Amino acid sequence: MIELESIWQELEARVRICQNCELCKTRHNTVFGEGPTENPLCVIVGEAPGADEDTTGRPFVGKAGELLTQILERGGNIPRDKVYITNVVKCRPPENRNPTQSEQLACSEFLEAQLLLLRPKIVVTMGNVPTQWLFKTKAGITKLRGQWLDWRGIKLFPMFHPSYLLRDPSRDKNSPKYLTWLDIRELHKKIFERE
């Protein structure tokens, strides 16, 4: 166990000083991730840190993060502190743009190592970027959300990114918020059926 902790700390230290791409020049903080490193209920992978995350060094802490917490806890009865949350890239892209393929590639060793060390049964991808990166597809999140996919023997479950839900306030049937409600109930069912 101590060896795993030291590997984890070394990985986090490598991310903190990483200069694998140009994002290191504009970041304030790297955002490694947070949550339990032993038996998380699932791992949530977003695309990249935003302004609030860049300031704090923590993932999903802005408005989208607040909504993610509500979705997990109110919609799925999944305590946020029982899931591990990270991003495909660990530094904020300027103007909160999507990370480029080369930026994702530069950070891929870190995400791969995190997933290898965490050994999750379920990975939830939030939005197009992490879904397309991990699943190696060009299909969009609207087509893939709510489906159980296989990624190296791990269940991968794409969902809409909370920032997308903030931009589309509709709660009508088949709206992104309505579909997210269905998705979080499905995620809850899958997480707790394995315990």
Side-chain angles (χ1 to χ4, degrees):
M1 186 57 79
I2 293 173
E3 183 178 334
L4 185 58
E5 282 179 33
S6 75
I7 292 169
W8 193 261
Q9 289 169 359
E10 181 182 326
L11 181 63
E12 191 169 0
R14 284 183 52 215
V15 167
R16 211 173 4 260
I17 61 169
C18 176
Q19 296 184 3
N20 289 353
C21 74
E22 297 293 307
L23 293 181
C24 70
K25 295 177 180 176
T26 56
R27 74 177 178 226
H28 292 99
N29 289 293
T30 57
V31 182
F32 184 69
E34 70 179 16
T37 56
E38 269 188 68
N39 302 315
L41 292 177
C42 65
V43 173
I44 294 176
V45 181
E47 56 189 45
D52 293 319
E53 292 76 14
D54 185 43
T55 300
T56 63
R58 297 181 56 221
F60 281 92
V61 293
K63 287 184 179 179
E66 290 171 12
L67 182 55
L68 174 62
T69 301
Q70 289 175 12
I71 291 166
L72 289 171
E73 295 180 356
R74 292 184 196 160
N77 199 24
I78 302 166
R80 180 179 166 131
D81 63 357
K82 301 291 185 197
V83 302
Y84 192 86
I85 303 174
T86 190
N87 287 295
V88 174
V89 299
K90 312 304 185 194
C91 298
R92 177 188 182 211
E95 307 301 317
N96 288 345
R97 65 164 169 74
N98 286 343
T100 65
Q101 289 236 330
S102 63
E103 290 162 353
Q104 292 174 64
L105 184 60
C107 254
S108 64
E109 67 178 290
F110 302 128
L111 179 59
E112 297 262 342
Q114 284 176 307
L115 294 175
L116 182 68
L117 292 169
L118 291 166
R119 296 188 323 251
K121 301 267 191 284
I122 297 171
V123 172
V124 179
T125 52
M126 292 285 171
N128 276 327
V129 171
T131 303
Q132 292 173 341
W133 182 256
L134 287 175
F135 201 57
K136 302 299 182 222
T137 183
K138 292 186 184 212
I141 191 67
T142 303
K143 181 177 179 183
L144 296 174
R145 59 128 295 271
Q147 297 181 49
W148 288 103
L149 308 171
D150 180 72
W151 181 78
R152 300 182 186 178
I154 296 170
K155 289 177 174 50
L156 189 135
F157 191 67
M159 290 180 61
F160 289 121
H161 195 286
S163 64
Y164 178 65
L165 302 178
L166 289 170
R167 294 189 303 267
D168 186 343
S170 172
R171 293 176 187 266
D172 295 340
K173 189 172 182 179
N174 295 321
S175 70
K177 283 188 177 178
Y178 175 83
L179 296 172
T180 297
W181 171 256
L182 298 179
D183 292 348
I184 198 65
R185 301 305 301 153
E186 173 65 19
L187 178 62
H188 174 273
K189 182 176 152 193
K190 188 66 77 174
I191 285 174
F192 293 106
E193 80 179 11
R194 69 181 176 87
E195 290 190 338

